[in-house]
């Protein structure tokens, strides 16, 4: 095998990287438009997603607390089991 062919094969190899520089958001086009609209300036997509998921968790916790006030018990067990508040 010629050296050029070996170099070409090695260049085309993909090695796992310890730190990825980007990811894939596999969602519908409508969900993609929503996430894009929620971005703050040039904020990375992962940061936007983190903010949206954090907000969802907080809102669910608040709703569970309001709903369980009259019933008693641990509201966190109802809205997201296993997650410490």
């Amino acid at each position: 095998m010629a050296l050029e062919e070996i170099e070409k094969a090695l260049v085309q190899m993909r090695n796992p990287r310890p730190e990825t520089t980007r990811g894939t958001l596999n969602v519908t086009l409508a969900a993609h438009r929503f996430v894009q609209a929620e971005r703050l300036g040039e904020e990375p997509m992962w940061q936007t997603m983190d903010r949206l998921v954090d907000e969802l968790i907080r809102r669910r916790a608040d709703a569970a607390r309001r709903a369980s006030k009259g019933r008693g018990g641990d509201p966190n067990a109802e809205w997201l089991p296993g997650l410490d508040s």
Side-chain angles (χ1 to χ4, degrees), residues 7-37:
E7 288 176 342
K8 182 179 177 182
L10 289 174
V11 166
Q12 293 174 354
M13 286 180 60
R14 300 186 114 204
N15 295 318
R17 297 175 58 183
E19 288 185 38
T20 58
T21 55
R22 66 182 211 192
T24 301
L25 184 60
N26 190 12
V27 296
T28 63
L29 292 175
H32 180 263
R33 282 190 295 273
F34 173 78
V35 172
Q36 288 288 63

Side-chain angles (χ1 to χ4, degrees), residues 51-71:
R51 276 191 310 99
L52 293 173
V53 171
D54 285 347
E55 181 179 346
L56 175 63
I57 290 171
R58 280 194 311 271
R59 287 176 179 261
R60 283 189 173 187
D62 291 344
R65 275 193 280 282
R66 284 192 306 272
S68 69
K69 275 187 179 179
R71 294 190 315 254

